[in-house]
């Protein structure tokens, strides 16, 4: 039988793991201060650039970049601890 496997389709186990990862990430994001959540929201949901976010918040581009980087490190720490 000639059948090609579709690599894009997840197994039920993979779907469950993905759902659990998303839930853990959402819990970790909720632990962040409001300003850090706002930066993540503007960057990942609204797809603003760091420069645009700096304009919205009235801070420098480098400051937004610093906060963004620190926030990602915090999230990694939260997720490792979970």
């Amino acid at each position: 039988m000639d059948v090609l496997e579709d690599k894009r389709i997840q197994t039920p186990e993979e779907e469950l793991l993905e759902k659990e990862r998303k839930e853990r990430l959402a819990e970790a994001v909720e632990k962040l201060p409001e300003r850090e959540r706002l930066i993540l929201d503007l960057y990942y949901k609204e797809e603003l650039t760091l420069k645009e976010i700096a304009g919205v918040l009235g801070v420098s581009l480098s400051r937004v970049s610093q906060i963004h980087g620190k926030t990602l490190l915090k999230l990694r720490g939260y997720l490792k601890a979970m």
Side-chain angles (χ1 to χ4, degrees):
M1 199 189 271
D2 293 333
V3 179
L4 294 176
E5 180 182 354
D6 188 350
K7 302 281 185 192
R8 296 173 292 178
I9 297 177
Q10 293 182 326
T11 66
E13 294 84 8
E14 290 170 332
E15 287 178 14
L16 180 60
L17 288 172
E18 181 69 19
K19 182 181 176 194
E20 287 176 354
R21 274 191 293 258
K22 286 180 181 179
E23 288 172 358
R24 287 185 16 221
L25 180 59
E27 289 173 21
V29 168
E30 287 300 315
K31 293 179 181 181
L32 295 171
E34 184 177 344
R35 185 177 183 112
E36 293 174 358
R37 287 195 317 264
L38 176 60
I39 289 173
L40 291 180
D41 186 57
L42 292 173
Y43 189 74
Y44 293 104
K45 288 184 183 175
E46 302 299 324
E47 298 183 354
L48 269 61
T49 65
L50 295 179
K51 184 176 182 179
E52 292 169 328
I53 295 169
V56 169
L57 298 178
V59 298
S60 69
L61 170 62
S62 63
R63 183 66 187 133
V64 172
S65 181
Q66 289 171 347
I67 294 170
H68 180 257
K70 251 173 72 173
T71 302
L72 294 181
L73 289 175
K74 257 191 213 181
L75 284 175
R76 286 186 190 117
Y78 288 156
L79 292 172
K80 282 185 181 181
M82 295 177 121

